[in-house]
Amino acid sequence: MDALTGAWQWLTTAANWAGGKGVWHRLAEHVQISAVCLALSCLVALPVALWLGHIGKGGALAVNLSNVGRAVPTFAVLVLLTLGPLGSQGEWPTVLALVLFAIPPLLTNAYLGIREADRDAVEAARGMGMSGPQLLLHVELPLAYPLLMTGLRSAAVQIVATATLAAMAGGGGLGRIITAGFGNYDTAQVVAGAVLVAALALAVEGVMVAVDRLCDPMRGRRRAARSGRGSRARRGERDDHAMAVGGAA
Amino acid sequence: MSVPWSVTAAAWPSGQVPADPGGPWVPQAAGPGGSDCLVANDWICGAYLRTRSHELLDATVQHIGITVASVVLGLLIAFPLALLARRRRAVAGAVLGLTTVLYTIPSLAMFALLTPVFGVSVAVVVTGLVLYSLTILVRNILTGLDAVPAEVREAARGMGYGPVRMLFGVELPLALPALVAGIRIATVSTVAMTTIGSVVGFGGLGNLIASGLEGFFKAEVLTASVLCVLLAVAADLLLMTVQRLLTPWTRPRAGARPGGRRAPATKAVA
């Protein structure tokens, strides 16, 4: 309880929110680098995943990538990049690490989404004379949407978590409040920083769920399909799997 | 990342070997007596491995200890939780929802939140890792138990199996592939996440990574990182072997019976 009241006091002290080491600045750093890296990793991963899924090749790569991503410690990669030649280039080690760890969930889920798009629907579309790009855009992509968004959600959560760890390797962001607290043996600050980080991570997850619902191209129609063909169960399993890929930071 | 000297040197025509600040290239440079790499702060350094082997061993033992403790404790908690969740769907929703929320919290924040509870101790790291492993384990145990074919259950009941004997004699063996798949995922991600425990000084190989960062000691960081990945791969292979030995029936008849019970395992691993 002592720690909680201490943390509350820390959070309600205006001085802790202002300035270059204040919460607002650290939050801005965290959100900014996370958003940039999410956009970058989408730019890298999604075209590759959609293309591989469309031509139906590279399944082993897409699946193994997430296994590899799980086994490699985020902290080690952050430190290796910081000590490497990129280390003197400001935020670049962090950006690269964040993008690297966001790619597996994005790529694996998008690939599986396209691959598992209802074959009958794809065949029917092909029979109607749709070209490759039309097929991808109007049939496979809408059908892959749930998994695509699962991947995006995992990637976003993963990036926020990894950006927290960047503080341990000398980067900015909200993690800095925690590491600085550990450095000063200031438990109140440690807990306050942790509360802020946890709140941000949960907020990002919430925003992604809301975006998922709002943008769903089959909004309202999916429910009917679900009850009939058990696709809900399938999606549930994928969620599980994607989660395992996602938060390992 | 640098490569062993022999490879780099072979890629250059003779006479064009780039100047090395740690000394001119000689085939034995990385061999016995070559402590130049420590001075030059090379990524790969045989002298480091020799002189600090006890440090590496201690860190590896701590790493394995934390990982094993976390996964075993996680399993001991996840199993009754999964059984409870299977009984009551309301419990299932609560358990799955709560573990998902826990999984979303970044590990550094998790360890920081647990620090006032346990003080700066190994319990912080183990508790945090147990909470993460719960998410994966509970889901996989539930998936495995749900996939047990209803007719098998009926047959066992007809043979007079009670609920306990049914669970341990019929359902659990059939759910084993999914269970082990969950343990593999949990173990591999726990090995990786243990490194972050270095924030409270109990991170196994992560401690070496952290001290290497502080002292700008490249060989220490790379060696510890590689060991960490090797540890994860070794644990994964070990568990895979254990599963093969425990479930001999999944091997020979894999093609013969396309039953539903193998599906959750392969999907969860994927």
Side-chain angles (χ1 to χ4, degrees):
Chain A
M1 279 303 108
D2 222 27
L4 281 185
T5 47
W8 177 250
Q9 257 165 18
W10 194 94
L11 284 173
T12 47
T13 306
N16 290 329
W17 291 72
K21 290 180 175 178
V23 173
W24 289 124
H25 183 236
R26 293 298 184 204
L27 180 66
E29 280 177 344
H30 207 122
V31 171
Q32 193 187 4
I33 203 164
S34 300
V36 168
C37 290
L38 187 60
L40 276 177
S41 40
C42 284
L43 281 179
V44 175
L46 291 185
V48 175
L50 297 187
W51 182 66
L52 284 179
H54 182 66
I55 63 170
K57 294 211 172 104
L61 170 90
V63 171
N64 284 327
L65 203 60
S66 43
N67 285 335
V68 172
R70 202 180 297 132
V72 177
T74 354
F75 178 44
V77 171
L78 277 164
V79 174
L80 284 172
L81 288 172
T82 308
L83 292 188
L86 267 181
S88 50
Q89 312 292 313
E91 297 287 341
W92 280 106
T94 313
V95 170
L96 189 57
L98 261 60
V99 170
L100 281 179
F101 279 96
I103 286 176
L106 280 171
L107 197 108
T108 306
N109 283 298
Y111 173 83
L112 289 175
I114 299 281
R115 275 322 291 158
E116 305 210 331
D118 193 339
R119 284 296 108 188
D120 294 345
V122 173
E123 283 309 310
R126 211 189 297 274
M128 284 166 66
M130 279 195 179
S131 67
Q134 278 178 328
L135 193 67
L136 183 63
L137 199 66
H138 297 297
V139 181
E140 289 175 324
L141 211 51
L143 287 174
Y145 178 82
L147 272 180
L148 210 67
M149 287 309 287
T150 303
L152 196 63
R153 192 155 45 90
S154 318
V157 171
Q158 171 85 49
I159 282 180
V160 169
T162 313
T164 316
L165 289 180
M168 288 173 79
L174 282 176
R176 236 2 214 283
I177 297 174
I178 301 177
T179 51
F182 272 117
N184 303 331
Y185 301 98
D186 184 349
T187 312
Q189 186 179 337
V190 167
V191 176
V195 169
L196 289 168
V197 169
L200 178 65
L202 292 174
V204 167
E205 166 97 11
V207 167
M208 295 311 287
V209 171
V211 169
D212 181 0
R213 299 245 167 94
L214 282 177
C215 300
D216 194 341
M218 314 251 289
R219 200 154 28 134
R221 274 178 286 171
R222 208 181 292 281
R223 186 162 300 155
R226 266 181 189 170
S227 53
R229 308 233 339 271
S231 57
R232 199 170 106 100
R234 213 183 314 146
R235 193 183 172 191
E237 260 170 37
R238 288 304 174 196
D239 272 349
D240 174 17
H241 151 243
M243 291 244 344
V245 178
Chain B
M1 227 183 286
S2 78
V3 280
W5 262 115
S6 50
V7 178
T8 323
W12 294 84
S14 56
Q16 287 187 27
V17 177
D20 171 32
W25 178 72
V26 244
Q28 293 90 352
S35 60
D36 286 350
C37 59
L38 284 176
V39 181
N41 198 12
D42 286 338
W43 284 107
I44 296 171
C45 184
Y48 168 74
L49 285 179
R50 269 198 314 283
T51 54
R52 309 285 187 91
S53 56
H54 61 281
E55 224 177 79
L56 283 165
L57 189 67
D58 287 350
T60 310
V61 168
Q62 190 188 61
H63 206 112
I64 295 175
I66 291 174
T67 305
V68 170
S70 307
V71 175
V72 169
L73 274 174
L75 203 55
L76 288 179
I77 300 172
F79 194 62
L81 270 183
L83 290 184
L84 207 66
R86 195 168 63 133
R87 269 298 160 72
R88 304 219 166 88
R89 285 292 142 182
V91 178
V95 167
L96 292 181
L98 189 67
T99 49
T100 307
V101 167
L102 285 175
Y103 208 84
T104 309
I105 297 174
S107 46
L108 184 61
M110 180 75 92
F111 293 152
L113 283 174
L114 290 168
T115 304
V117 184
F118 296 105
V120 175
S121 69
V122 73
V124 169
V125 182
V126 173
T127 311
L129 295 173
V130 165
L131 290 177
Y132 284 125
S133 68
L134 283 184
T135 317
I136 302 162
L137 292 174
V138 170
R139 274 166 196 264
N140 271 57
I141 297 173
L142 273 178
T143 315
L145 291 177
D146 282 349
V148 174
E151 56 273 32
V152 172
R153 252 188 227 123
E154 279 305 310
R157 202 168 293 137
M159 287 168 69
Y161 274 57
V164 176
R165 227 174 121 212
M166 167 96 83
L167 178 65
F168 288 99
V170 177
E171 291 175 317
L172 205 55
L174 286 178
L176 213 55
L179 175 67
V180 177
I183 297 178
R184 281 171 67 187
I185 296 176
T187 307
V188 169
S189 43
T190 303
V191 169
M193 261 191 286
T194 301
T195 53
I196 298 153
S198 66
V199 77
V200 288
F202 294 94
L205 292 162
N207 291 343
L208 297 184
I209 298 177
S211 80
L213 172 71
E214 230 165 82
F216 214 82
F217 191 174
K218 290 179 178 172
E220 189 176 16
V221 173
L222 185 63
T223 310
S225 308
V226 169
L227 275 177
C228 199
V229 174
L230 288 180
L231 215 55
V233 173
D236 199 38
L237 290 177
L238 181 75
L239 285 167
M240 196 170 78
T241 315
V242 168
Q243 192 221 312
R244 292 240 170 113
L245 292 176
L246 283 179
T247 57
W249 62 86
T250 56
R251 272 172 297 160
R253 277 190 280 160
R257 214 203 120 156
R261 66 174 187 235
R262 271 177 59 85
T266 42
K267 264 183 191 157
V269 179

